Amino acid sequence: MSSNTISAVLEKLIRHLCLENFPCGNGSWRSAGIKGAETEETDTLLDLLSCPRSPWWDDTLWSPQAAALRQLAVLRPERLNADFVYSYFTTLRIVDKDVSFVDDGLLQFSKLEELVLSANKIHDIPGGNLPSTLKVLELCANQVSSLTGLVSRPPPHLQYLGLGSNRLGSCEDISHLTGRHWPRLVCLDLSYSEFEDQWALLNALCTLPCLKTLVLEGNPLTLASCYPGFTVDSLPQLSCLDGSWISPEERHGFKGLTEMRDLIVEWASASVSVGRMRGIPDPVMSVDENAPEFPLVTYSYYISYKFLRHQTAANLLDRESECDSAPAAERMESDSELPSVQNCEKSNTRDLMVHTQETCCDVSHVSQHSTPKLAWSESMDFSDTQTYAVRDLRGFKRFLSQGLQLRIELEKVLSWPAPSEDSIATKPNQTAKEKKSGKGKETLKSGFTKDKPKDKKKKPAQELVQDAPITRVLASVHVPLQNLLRGSHRIDAVCDFGVLCTEPVVGATPTCEKASLPAKQAFQEREGG
């Protein structure tokens, strides 16, 4: 028998109860009638079982019947046999025990009503290996990717089914959540799975005649704007949704949504707002007073982040025509506001990406947005809001699970005087003979003296040329967005970037020769002198 089956784990736990060994069982320590035998009082034996400091104490949280069975092994040890022990258990909670398979050994527990197998490694669970007496079955946080085995022979009296945090969400999985398989199901937990087609899922769930409690939070479909209204109106018998009771006012407010599902597109909308930023050091304070006049340096700041690419109505129609899916359902707006980026400083020059190895979606579906560029001030108000329409709800869910990466970026621009026309045109016209005799110089001088009153004009403003901008990431911060998957519609975050350094970039000039020359010499070259 493999050690990762449910039977192997249960047999190990039952052996730890020591039902046939001291202080339980029918050993010599119970032979009170034999003269000279070393015996113990019943109360003493029970104390050895219940005292936490006793070496015979055992953790029996895995079943409420375990502690009672040990006491029975002291009081009435003659009643214990294998069949009695297995039939004594009505509740089993095997959590985080690396169980990977539910074998037919579980059928020995003939009176089992509650089975909790959360946080294990179960991929599939054969319904034929479950006792028919089960009323509660919880398989949350496993690796279940199909319900085919479970519905092959489902427990007929099951009232609670917990399937949250698994790999479910296909059309086949939806077809197995009907009243034909679960006629007495009262509570269903499908949280944090991959169900996206709200219309198809509700068409299946409405066939469950006894369903009163439903948990869907964490699924892609909950990000659509038609949630929870479409769900509430489609399941009139539902009393509790995602841990909240449905009031008569809410039900009345959502009344009639199911009749409009042909007119509604299932998509999500999210708004990202960036507000004020304070605390960036003034870059002018670090400028050397003895530095040359040129180049002139200007600084500007902006916030950048990556988000799912906005999809227009035309994009949505194109994608709808490409898919052979069922008619789409209603849309809901999941607004995530991220204002007030304040005290924004932290030294970090790495270009951090939003997507990781398990990327939220294809890179082509992610776009980068930058706020308007502002000159330095003590408080920079970006007042930038962007709204994104998202059709890929599964990709949107993974994106929200990863969160948003905000970056402060600095743009530095160097400006130089444009080359003078006189300096370019005058000097090359002198001949070698004129240079030697000095006549050219005199003629130029006399002509200049003579014409000076006529040619004297007001000196125009100096024209500047700019180098290519130099950008640098000053700091980045991660904004978690998981609360949007838990039902929140807004997240307000004040981002603290820590200590920020705005020192000039080393090797800032884009051309090699300029980078290798002092600033004064480079300026002279631009003047043509």
Side-chain angles (χ1 to χ4, degrees):
M1 182 178 298
S2 177
S3 60
N4 59 351
T5 63
I6 184 64
S7 294
V9 174
L10 289 173
E11 287 185 8
K12 183 178 180 179
L13 291 172
I14 292 175
R15 284 198 303 269
H16 283 176
L17 297 178
C18 300
L19 299 179
E20 297 180 355
N21 300 323
F22 182 85
C24 302
N26 234 341
S28 59
W29 53 91
R30 299 295 306 275
S31 303
I34 301 178
K35 186 177 181 180
E38 296 182 1
T39 61
E40 298 287 350
E41 296 293 334
T42 300
D43 292 341
T44 303
L45 296 176
L46 292 175
D47 289 340
L48 292 176
L49 294 178
S50 58
C51 181
R53 297 183 179 180
S54 170
W56 292 279
W57 178 85
D58 189 53
D59 184 6
T60 56
L61 295 178
W62 56 276
S63 176
Q65 290 77 44
L69 191 61
R70 298 192 80 193
Q71 293 181 0
L72 188 62
V74 172
L75 300 174
R76 302 287 300 274
E78 68 279 358
R79 295 183 57 184
L80 269 66
N81 55 61
D83 292 338
F84 178 83
V85 170
Y86 288 128
S87 62
Y88 192 79
F89 288 98
T90 59
T91 300
L92 295 175
R93 298 170 183 162
I94 312 303
V95 179
D96 195 17
K97 298 294 183 181
D98 290 334
V99 176
S100 61
F101 183 68
V102 179
D103 60 331
D104 56 1
L106 192 62
L107 296 174
Q108 299 177 90
F109 298 84
S110 56
K111 296 183 179 180
L112 189 64
E113 295 183 355
E114 180 180 348
L115 178 61
V116 178
L117 297 174
S118 299
N120 285 290
K121 299 178 180 179
I122 300 172
H123 292 267
D124 187 22
I125 179 167
N129 293 342
L130 298 175
S132 59
T133 55
L134 268 186
K135 295 180 179 179
V136 175
L137 176 60
E138 184 168 316
L139 297 167
C140 295
N142 277 277
Q143 300 172 12
V144 179
S145 57
S146 174
L147 298 177
T148 304
L150 182 60
V151 299
S152 61
R153 189 180 172 185
H157 305 288
L158 199 69
Q159 299 177 9
Y160 173 87
L161 179 59
L163 297 171
S165 299
N166 278 288
R167 302 173 181 176
L168 300 172
S170 66
C171 295
E172 184 182 13
D173 296 331
I174 292 176
S175 66
H176 294 152
L177 297 173
T178 62
R180 182 170 65 91
H181 301 102
W182 317 103
R184 300 188 181 184
L185 195 64
V186 176
C187 182
L188 176 61
D189 183 1
L190 298 175
S191 60
Y192 296 95
S193 297
E194 296 298 325
F195 291 98
E196 185 177 12
D197 192 340
Q198 187 174 184
W199 190 352
L201 180 63
L202 294 178
N203 282 338
L205 297 183
C206 68
T207 65
L208 299 173
C210 302
L211 186 65
K212 299 295 182 183
T213 302
L214 178 63
V215 185
L216 292 175
E217 69 176 8
N219 280 279
L221 63 86
T222 62
L223 300 173
S225 58
C226 55
Y227 187 87
F230 190 55
T231 300
V232 172
D233 194 44
S234 299
L235 303 174
Q237 80 280 12
L238 203 64
S239 300
C240 183
L241 178 62
D242 294 337
S244 300
W245 295 103
I246 302 173
S247 65
E249 293 78 12
E250 286 179 308
R251 191 174 295 281
H252 179 74
F254 296 137
K255 187 176 181 180
L257 287 180
T258 54
E259 300 174 1
M260 299 187 299
R261 54 180 158 185
D262 293 338
L263 306 176
I264 300 171
V265 178
E266 190 170 341
W267 61 304
S269 176
S271 296
V272 182
S273 297
V274 180
R276 287 187 177 89
M277 180 171 65
R278 296 181 298 183
I280 290 187
D282 186 354
V284 178
M285 301 299 293
S286 61
V287 176
D288 187 2
E289 296 181 355
N290 299 322
E293 182 181 1
F294 293 100
L296 296 178
V297 184
T298 57
Y299 298 92
S300 58
Y301 300 86
Y302 59 95
I303 303 295
S304 66
Y305 58 85
K306 293 182 184 293
F307 207 87
L308 295 186
R309 189 180 301 277
H310 176 76
Q311 295 176 329
T312 62
N315 298 142
L316 298 180
L317 293 176
D318 290 342
R319 294 192 62 182
E320 292 274 338
S321 62
E322 293 175 1
C323 301
D324 295 328
S325 56
E330 221 178 359
R331 104 185 202 319
M332 165 196 158
E333 186 168 16
S334 177
D335 257 53
S336 63
E337 302 264 343
L338 299 172
S340 302
V341 182
Q342 301 177 355
N343 303 326
C344 307
E345 297 108 328
K346 187 174 184 179
S347 189
N348 188 349
T349 58
R350 293 178 298 174
D351 188 4
L352 300 180
M353 302 295 288
V354 172
H355 52 283
T356 60
Q357 186 174 1
E358 187 179 352
T359 178
C360 64
C361 62
D362 192 86
V363 176
S364 62
H365 295 161
V366 177
S367 61
Q368 177 162 324
H369 172 72
S370 299
T371 65
K373 299 173 184 177
L374 300 180
W376 180 90
S377 64
E378 291 184 359
S379 178
M380 289 177 278
D381 189 0
F382 292 100
S383 298
D384 180 79
T385 299
Q386 295 293 317
T387 300
Y388 300 88
V390 181
R391 180 68 178 85
D392 181 11
L393 297 182
R394 289 191 181 183
F396 192 30
K397 174 193 171 181
R398 291 191 290 271
F399 182 89
L400 296 178
S401 299
Q402 290 180 308
L404 193 67
Q405 198 78 22
L406 291 177
R407 302 188 302 181
I408 303 177
E409 298 198 39
L410 165 66
E411 182 180 274
K412 177 180 177 181
V413 178
L414 303 180
S415 300
W416 307 79
S420 172
E421 295 181 1
D422 293 339
S423 62
I424 296 176
T426 302
K427 292 187 178 181
N429 291 336
Q430 290 182 312
T431 63
K433 185 177 181 180
E434 289 174 338
K435 290 182 181 179
K436 185 175 181 180
S437 63
K439 292 181 180 179
K441 184 176 181 182
E442 291 176 359
T443 304
L444 182 62
K445 183 176 180 181
S446 61
F448 173 76
T449 305
K450 183 178 180 180
D451 299 336
K452 185 175 181 181
K454 296 182 179 179
D455 297 337
K456 186 176 181 181
K457 297 180 181 179
K458 187 177 180 180
K459 188 176 180 180
Q462 194 169 27
E463 184 179 353
L464 299 177
V465 293
Q466 294 182 344
D467 289 347
I470 304 164
T471 59
R472 183 162 69 101
V473 178
L474 297 181
S476 66
V477 69
H478 179 262
V479 180
L481 303 177
Q482 288 87 347
N483 284 342
L484 295 176
L485 297 175
R486 302 186 183 106
S488 298
H489 295 280
R490 181 187 178 102
I491 292 179
D492 295 324
V494 178
C495 303
D496 184 1
F497 290 84
V499 178
L500 179 67
C501 179
T502 56
E503 294 179 357
V505 183
V506 178
T509 51
T511 58
C512 297
E513 56 177 325
K514 188 187 299 180
S516 63
L517 295 173
K520 185 176 181 181
Q521 185 175 354
F523 166 66
Q524 290 174 346
E525 279 195 349
R526 285 180 171 267
E527 285 290 301

